[in-house]
Every structure is written in structure tokens, then in C-alpha cells.
Amino acid sequence: MFMLATLVWGLVAMLVGVLIAVELALPALNMGVPYITFGRLRPLHTNAAIFAFAGNGIFAAIYYSTQRLCKARMYSDALSRLHFWGWQSIIVAAAVTLPLGFTQGKEYAELEWPIDIAIAVVWAGFFGVNFFMTLLRRRERHLYVAIWFYIATIVTVAVLHIFNNLVVPIGLFKSYPIYAGVQDAFMQWWYGHNAVAFFLTTPFLGLMYYFIPKAADRPVFSYRLSIVHFWSLVFIYIWAGPHHLHYTAIPEWASTLGMVFSLMLWMPSWGGMINGLLTLRGAWHKVTADPVLKFFVAGITFYGMSTFEGPLLSIKSVNALSHYTDWTIGHVHSGALGWNGFMTFGMVYWLLPRLFQTELWSKKLANTHFWLGTVGILIYIVSMYVAGLTQGLMWRDLDETGRLAYPDFVETVVAVIPMYWLRVVGGLCYLTGVVLGAVNFFQTWRSRPATYKEVVHEAPPLERDYQHPPRPTSRIPSEASVADVAHAVDIWAQLTWHRRWEGLPVRLTVWVVVAVSAASLFEIIPTFLIKSNVPVIETVKPYTPLELAGRDIYVAEGCYNCHSQMIRPLVAETKRYGPYSKAGEFIYDRPFQWGSKRTGPDLARAGGKQSHLWHVLHFKDPAQITPRSIMPPYPWLLTETLDFSMIDKRVAAMAGLGVPYKDELERGEEMAREQALKIAREIIVQGGPGDLEDKKVTAVIAYLQRLGTDLMQVETESDADAAAPAEASQ
């Protein structure tokens, strides 16, 4: 069931990916329909690829391998089915709510609070209980390395998900996080990077350690290396999240710490890659004929490439060039499509004949799938590398006078559009491969025998009073036989500290939690407790009720997918956008909106730079205002009515989180209507339409016109203070 779901959601995820890739180069493709804009579909694509496609693949691998490694059936068939149907229901809920604009606005954590609660119940209550109870009832004392990685996945993902999604609900599908600004950014990338670590890495390493030896019919290359690989990865990975926030408003020590630990990740990551590839020693001749091994070898190779590139991109000087560009997109997809995708397909092709008790329908089709996928990945990532380097270099390029060589941002957009079309070609190749995989799956299922042979495996229960062999008291005599030496070595191996842990799942789990928690708390607590990390700026005031509503619409439309709100302290950025961002600017931002990609310009200082009418026309048809723009039109913002009845709930929730609202609590809706009427009248004076006082566009304009203006007051006051002595002397 999980394997079938893997394939179905894989098709959906790749299809949506190709659609939004085309939309990015051809924004008119959405035809003015709000539900299929890039901003709304991009989170759907990422959630479908990560949690639907990769997630179901993880569950298929864990359910198959755990029972065989433990020599015991899963603890509860009922929990297994609740897990399956619960997870599919969550995916369907995501597929419905995200296009409707119900989102938290945080990358990889967009789903709103009712769905988040369901995820916690299904993950921890159904899946976690089923898995750990199976370990406790196992009939194999030793926990194989794959099980270690499964344990780390289950407990860490639960911790990450729960703490990053602590929110205050104001409606069925609307909430505000308890964290704000810098703290919210810190928590999000503690979660976001480690979602990659513990959802897209550790379970797939467990998959690798089980299925590669099975497919190659060879033992794992090094048991000792697997121990080093596991513990160093679990301990180090959790520290690396802040490298996503270099040159932002988080404390410098935090991003530096993230960079240092990211560089240290080279060791365990490549240790795992080496262990996987060297497991094939003596079996490389099989790779040419076996599509399963082709997928596995290529998948591990992509793992090595992406885990080399990740630490490279965490280096500050490299990050200054790569961040906010398509280089990051290429990096992410080399891991997602190459590592996660190919390992999943390799597992599926290995499982198909075993689950259906027949031969794989077509090895030739599987090989074609492999080569189409490989070519597709290469076209995709190379095009994104070229696009990313082009963007980064054009954004920072200065002429001989020190001015921006490309002051008009749209010039940098036009330059990479050919690469966007090339990405579509790569995506289509990969999608075609998935379609061939689906055909092979269906035809293999059709060729299954009329009746299955039920093979039942039995193993005796573990002894309750089992004692480890006594430690040898003397050295092995020189005249001992080879068998005696081997026996003594085996006893010593069983007496090592880790060998003991491998028979104690509870203790192993506790130490995983300790390793993860220690690193997390060391980073998070200082950021929350030390006031100097977020200095107060007196002129920064809470959003007005209308601006707050407009910000929520901005989040719902997914604008953060293309626009950042973080000006880094780099010369070219301050020349292009204005003064660099300060931590104190964001104390009322829930959720933070710093973004991770600039398809459009940064908006941190957008307030007051354009008239209200300019924004109205820009939302109606961006290309008329900015020729060659690839921003999609948002005409529905000019026609959809703003729900003023929710204003008071928004204000009350923010006040409950510590925002110093006073009059707004008593007359929030009234204040919002007054500000909307004022903006609407100004639009009329500027020559615009006269029926916008109750439309969503007015609230969004109120929000955009506010951005950066609080800090600019500080700049203005500083200039005035500097000018005062000169005026006095005159």
C-alpha cells in the first residue's frame, strides 16, 4: 500500500513541479486563476515531493525491513493501517488547503495547525508506537545499523515538528507562531535544515544499509564505519541549520557556529557514501545488468555530490554569492531527485518481484527509466547552476564608478529565462521516467500469480534473563586454534559499549534524544534569553489592523516564495535596496518573511517607493508596469472582498502574543476600515478605480507601503541630529 502511494504521489509531485517550472517562465499560464499560481503551488510541490513521495517511500522501506531485521511481525496491523490512511488523508488535506491559500508561510512547514496536529498523531501515535513496540517484541537481539537510523528519524522528526509548529490559532485554518522575527527564523531553519537531515537523509541511509547489501548480495563494507557515521551524523547535523541565515539579522555567532558544523558534516556524510559504495566490492559487474543497482549506485553518488556541495554553500564567502539564487534550487534538486528519488526507485524495483512473487515485467523499461532520470537531473541542476551564478554575479556587479552595473532587477530575470526553459526539459525527462516506472509497476502487478505462496518465518522469543558472555580474563594463548581466536574476537566484539547498546533499543533511543537535544538547546536558548541578540528600535511599531490583514494575504498568496525581506550587509545590496536589515525590525513579524529565493526584488524597503495606484496596476498586470516581468497577475485582489470581521481576532491573537496593542483591541475593525477608506481615496486622486475600499488589494498595499518605513524614520532622525549642530552654528 505504501509502495503504491509512493508511485502515485511521485507522479503528482513531479507533474506539479513541471507545471510551476513552466509558470515561472510563462506566468500567463495560470490564466488569472488564483489556485494555480506559482506562489500557491510551489509549497504543494515541495510538500508532495518530500512528505508524500519520499515519505511513503520511507514507510514502505521501514515496514518491509524492520520486520525482517527484528524477525518479528509489526506490533499492530491496525496501527499500520491507521498510519497509512492517516498519512494519505494528511496529504490530501495539504493538496486542498495549500492552493486555497491556507498556509503558515514557513518553508517545509506550510501546513496549518489542524493538519499539524494530525501529523503529530499519525507520526508519533500510530507510526512511532507501532515501530518501537515492534522493537520491544523483536526476536533478534541485535539491532542492525538500519534500525539505528530509523530510530533517529522517528524521534527527531517528532521533536522538530512539534516545537516548530507551536502556534496560536485564530480560525480553523489560520494561526500565528509563538515565535517572532529572529526567533522565528532561527526555529524555522533549525526545523527546515533538520527536516532535510532527519526526513530526507537518515531514513534513506537506513534504506541504503538494508537494501544495498540485499541487492548486491554482499555484507556492509565496514561495521565500525557505520557506528562513526551514525553518531557523528546525528550529533553534528542538528547544529547546521543557521547556515541558511548567513548575513541576516541573526547573531553572528549563531551563523558562524552553523557554518563550522556544516563543514564538519563532510566527514560523516562521505563516510556513509564510502560505506555504501564499497559494499559493492566484488559486485560491480552486476551494476551493468541490474537496474536496481544502477539506481542505488547513482543515488549514493548524488548523495556524495549534494553533501559535498551543502557544506561548500555554508561557507560565508560562497553563501554571499549563492544565497537567494537558483544555485540553491539546483543543489536541493540534486539531492531530492538524485539521492531520495533514485534510492526510492531502486527500492521499488527490488521489492516489486518479491511482493508480487513474479519477475519484474521489463528490465529494459527500468533501465530506460534510469537513464531518463539521470539525464533529466543533469539538465536540471546544470541549468540551475548557470542561472544561479548568473544571478549572483549580476546582482553584485559594480561598474568602474562604483554604481550597480544592472540597477534594474528585471535585467537579471531576463538573463536566466533560457535556463528556466531548460529546467522544464530536465523536469519532463524525469517525469517521463516516473511514468515508465508506473507502467512497470502496473504490468508487474498484472503478471502476479493467481494465488500467493504464504511464507511464514518463525523465530524463538528472546531470553528474558540473557547475560552477555563474561569478559575474557587472560590473553589468547599463542597455540590457540583459528576457531578459538575467532570465538574470542566475537566475544570481545559483543562486549564493546556499542555492541551492548545494539541490544538495548530504549537506551539507544535515549542517547539519540540527548545528542539531538543538547545541540538544539545550546543554539536556541541563548537566542531567546539574551536581549542583546534582538536590540530594540524605538521607532518600530506594531502593524496597524489593516496592515496585519494585508500581511496575512501576502503570506497566503505565497509571495515569500519569490520575494525576500532581508537586506544583507553587502555593498551591492545596500546600494540596490537601502540600509541593511536589523534584528529589531522584525519583532512583530509572525511568521518571519525573510525568504530563501529572489525571483523578484527584495521588499524590505518597499514602503513609500511607489504610489498606491502603481501597486494597484502592478497587481492587475505586472507586465504593463514592468515590461519583461515574470510575476503573475493578481486581478482577484481587486475584486475579492476583505473579511473585516476577522480583524479583531487577528489583533487579539497578536496582543496575546505580546504585541502592545491598545486602542486596536477596542476598535480594530473600525481602524482598519478607516485606513482602507483613506488609501482608496488616495487611489482615486491618483487616477485609479473608485471601488477598492473593501477589497483585499487595499490591505496588501497598506502592508507593502509600511515595509521598511519604521527603520527609515531612524535614518531620518539620525540625519536630522547630525544637521542640527551645523544649523546652530550658522
Side-chain angles (χ1 to χ4, degrees), residues 352-353 356-363 440 443-445 447:
L352 278 175
F356 297 137
Q357 298 185 0
T358 184
E359 293 294 322
L360 182 66
W361 184 66
S362 173
K363 281 192 175 182
N440 221 346
Q443 293 294 349
T444 303
W445 173 78
S447 64

Side-chain angles (χ1 to χ4, degrees), residues 260-297:
V260 170
F261 276 89
S262 297
L263 292 173
M264 291 168 64
L265 273 173
W266 264 326
M267 176 192 68
S269 299
W270 275 50
M273 178 194 69
I274 290 167
N275 218 4
L277 289 178
L278 291 186
T279 297
L280 291 167
R281 67 202 187 287
W284 283 101
H285 61 284
K286 297 181 180 180
V287 177
T288 57
D290 188 353
V292 171
L293 287 177
K294 282 189 177 72
F295 276 106
F296 283 153
V297 169

Side-chain angles (χ1 to χ4, degrees), residues 353-595:
R354 288 163 178 81
L355 293 189
F356 297 137
Q357 298 185 0
T358 184
E359 293 294 322
L360 182 66
W361 184 66
S362 173
K363 281 192 175 182
K364 185 175 181 181
L365 205 62
N367 279 313
T368 305
H369 176 188
F370 169 78
W371 288 113
L372 275 171
T374 303
V375 171
I377 295 170
L378 293 177
I379 293 173
Y380 191 111
I381 63 177
V382 169
S383 64
M384 289 300 95
Y385 290 158
V386 172
L389 286 169
T390 301
Q391 290 167 324
L393 293 172
M394 290 181 75
W395 292 346
R396 62 162 55 188
D397 195 15
L398 305 176
D399 62 21
E400 61 276 6
T401 67
R403 296 186 177 90
L404 292 170
Y406 303 96
D408 191 355
F409 189 89
V410 77
E411 293 179 272
T412 69
V413 175
V414 172
V416 299
I417 288 179
M419 295 299 103
Y420 286 175
W421 284 114
L422 198 56
R423 170 170 62 181
V424 172
V425 174
L428 282 171
C429 288
Y430 198 90
L431 174 61
T432 304
V434 179
V435 172
L436 296 183
V439 171
N440 221 346
F441 185 111
F442 178 70
Q443 293 294 349
T444 303
W445 173 78
R446 285 189 63 190
S447 64
R448 71 195 187 284
T451 57
Y452 288 106
K453 297 178 181 178
E454 290 291 342
V455 181
V456 179
H457 298 279
E458 294 286 349
L462 300 181
E463 301 172 22
R464 290 184 178 275
D465 55 350
Y466 173 79
Q467 297 292 327
H468 286 282
R471 198 180 186 92
T473 57
S474 60
R475 301 180 64 181
I476 301 172
S478 58
E479 66 275 8
S481 67
V482 173
D484 291 337
V485 172
H487 178 67
V489 170
D490 181 60
I491 291 175
W492 275 98
Q494 293 183 53
L495 293 171
T496 61
W497 61 273
H498 202 274
R499 190 69 177 185
R500 287 180 177 272
W501 284 10
E502 291 162 25
L504 302 169
V506 175
R507 181 177 297 184
L508 188 66
T509 303
V510 168
W511 280 110
V512 169
V513 173
V514 169
V516 170
S517 301
S520 301
L521 294 174
F522 187 88
E523 287 185 309
I524 292 168
I525 289 177
T527 309
F528 280 78
L529 297 184
I530 301 174
K531 275 195 170 183
S532 61
N533 284 327
V534 187
V536 174
I537 301 175
E538 293 296 333
T539 57
V540 174
K541 305 299 181 186
Y543 295 107
T544 67
L546 184 66
E547 291 163 359
L548 184 60
R551 190 177 195 276
D552 288 345
I553 296 170
Y554 177 96
V555 171
E557 294 295 345
C559 302
Y560 60 89
N561 287 292
C562 292
H563 294 282
S564 60
Q565 291 184 29
M566 174 55 60
I567 302 171
R568 298 176 293 176
L570 306 174
V571 172
E573 292 208 9
T574 56
K575 285 180 176 292
R576 186 181 298 276
Y577 301 117
Y580 67 87
S581 299
K582 317 296 191 298
E585 290 182 67
F586 307 101
I587 58 175
Y588 302 121
D589 283 5
R590 300 171 189 267
F592 82 110
Q593 289 291 281
W594 296 359

